[in-house]
Amino acid sequence: MMRHLLVCGVVGGVAIALLQWSQYRFLVIDHSVEIYGALVAAICSAFGIWLGLKLTRRRPVEVREILVPAAAPFVRNQERVGKLGITPREMEILELVAAGLSNREIAERLFVSENTVKTHCSRVFGKLGAERRTQAVQIAKETGILP
Amino acid sequence: MMRHLLVCGVVGGVAIALLQWSQYRFLVIDHSVEIYGALVAAICSAFGIWLGLKLTRRRPVEVREILVPAAAPFVRNQERVGKLGITPREMEILELVAAGLSNREIAERLFVSENTVKTHCSRVFGKLGAERRTQAVQIAKETGILP
DNA sequence: GGTGTCGTCATTCTTTCGGATGATTTTGGG
DNA sequence: CCCAAAATCATCCGAAAGAATGACGACACC
């Protein structure tokens, strides 16, 4: 703001100097005061309008981020999956376990024997440090490898 | 905008008129041109600044709200809990089941016998239409009675 | 060709879970 | 005070889950 006032004053001074200078430089005609006054008024008004527009433009938009409950799309933490050494097949079994299926149902859905499912379960339980399927599911969700 | 220009012109005209009028009204002194020019410049600049501020104030802030996904704080769907007839104690057991605890651990934590825990489990499983604890947890989360 | 990983399957055994049922105690409201 | 709901505990039994172990074939990699 102070800078704008300074600029305004400087411009005004220059305008005055121009006026005085031109008074001796050109023909002095009647009503010259009105003409010069109008000139100064026009210039300063234009400057004021420009200043107003500039001030308006100085804060264009304020972007306000609003936290809204939204279902964040789940992305599996593949890094930790790899770090734990969980194979794709084991992930598949783990997902079905989390879905609430029994070993038999999982075996039927994947066209393998129930013993195979139990083997996979045991392995993934060991890798997750779980002793029960519910615990395995809980740990998996906390770790970010299950939604 | 047009109105502002009109106001500007009128003010300029009035200023000129004032200038001319005062020229015959008061003493004509030397350097009066500078003084009047400065006056006009000051008035018009003030007007311009006022105009700028007014324009600035006309649209104070343009707020653009952006929806950002946030972790929605879990609120239990008490309506469905009541509709299913799940008692507070059963909810407590269900939460511990979802946390991955075994019946024995739940019994120890709640200072009740394992049989009691099993009874509560059976009841809540029946109310949820589940046959296994993993399935019960899954259904509870889908229904909104567990986070 | 040897090695390692992955997926598969089996057997045995123990633990846990879940269903069914009955009984007792506590508690809150009419 | 009485009733109903809730919470507690028990017993029996079958099903499911889980641990431990061994084995076999497919496949990739060096």
Side-chain angles (χ1 to χ4, degrees):
Chain A
M1 179 54 74
M2 287 313 294
R3 221 175 41 211
H4 291 133
L5 286 178
L6 279 178
V7 169
C8 194
V10 168
V11 169
V14 169
I16 300 302
L18 277 176
L19 277 179
Q20 201 162 12
W21 173 69
S22 59
Q23 233 178 0
Y24 301 98
R25 178 81 169 71
F26 296 110
L27 279 172
V28 179
I29 53 176
D30 281 346
H31 305 297
S32 66
V33 172
E34 292 95 315
I35 292 176
Y36 291 138
L39 265 178
V40 169
I43 290 174
C44 286
S45 293
F47 169 72
I49 290 176
W50 165 82
L51 185 63
L53 289 180
K54 182 172 185 200
L55 282 178
T56 302
R57 215 177 296 115
R58 263 196 54 200
R59 32 171 153 164
V61 249
E62 175 177 331
V63 175
R64 186 174 298 170
E65 292 189 348
I66 292 189
L67 299 183
V68 162
F74 170 72
V75 281
R76 186 179 334 272
N77 193 334
Q78 284 294 349
E79 183 196 350
R80 273 183 250 193
V81 172
K83 197 171 295 179
L84 290 172
I86 298 179
T87 69
R89 194 59 159 176
E90 286 165 355
M91 272 305 312
E92 208 171 351
I93 268 84
L94 184 56
E95 286 169 356
L96 296 178
V97 167
L101 275 65
S102 71
N103 288 343
R104 180 161 302 171
E105 289 168 340
I106 297 175
E108 287 172 358
R109 181 170 300 197
L110 297 183
F111 305 106
V112 296
S113 84
E114 192 178 339
N115 289 310
T116 304
V117 175
K118 288 171 75 174
T119 305
H120 284 311
C121 280
S122 289
R123 282 206 228 282
V124 82
F125 291 171
K127 289 170 183 174
L128 285 175
E131 296 171 352
R132 285 165 291 283
R133 37 180 57 216
T134 49
Q135 194 180 1
V137 170
Q138 175 66 10
I139 294 175
K141 299 205 176 196
E142 285 174 355
T143 318
I145 66 182
L146 271 187
Chain B
M1 179 53 74
M2 288 313 293
R3 222 174 41 209
H4 291 130
L5 286 179
L6 278 178
V7 171
C8 192
V10 169
V11 169
V14 170
I16 300 301
L18 277 175
L19 275 180
Q20 202 161 12
W21 174 69
S22 60
Q23 231 176 4
Y24 299 100
R25 180 80 170 71
F26 296 110
L27 279 172
V28 179
I29 55 175
D30 280 346
H31 305 301
S32 65
V33 173
E34 291 95 317
I35 292 176
Y36 292 138
L39 266 177
V40 169
I43 290 175
C44 286
S45 291
F47 169 73
I49 288 175
W50 166 82
L51 186 63
L53 289 180
K54 183 176 182 188
L55 282 177
T56 302
R57 215 176 295 115
R58 260 196 54 202
R59 34 169 152 157
V61 224
E62 183 175 338
V63 176
R64 185 169 301 168
E65 298 182 343
I66 293 185
L67 302 184
V68 174
F74 170 71
V75 282
R76 168 160 299 132
N77 192 334
Q78 284 294 351
E79 184 196 349
R80 274 183 249 195
V81 173
K83 197 171 295 177
L84 290 171
I86 298 179
T87 70
R89 194 58 159 176
E90 286 165 355
M91 271 306 311
E92 209 171 349
I93 267 84
L94 185 56
E95 285 169 357
L96 296 178
V97 166
L101 276 66
S102 72
N103 289 342
R104 179 161 303 169
E105 289 167 340
I106 297 175
E108 286 171 359
R109 179 169 303 197
L110 297 184
F111 305 105
V112 295
S113 83
E114 193 179 338
N115 290 311
T116 304
V117 176
K118 288 173 72 176
T119 304
H120 285 310
C121 278
S122 289
R123 282 207 226 283
V124 81
F125 291 171
K127 289 170 183 173
L128 285 175
E131 297 171 350
R132 285 166 291 285
R133 35 179 60 215
T134 49
Q135 194 180 0
V137 171
Q138 174 66 10
I139 294 175
K141 300 207 177 194
E142 286 174 355
T143 316
I145 66 181
L146 272 187

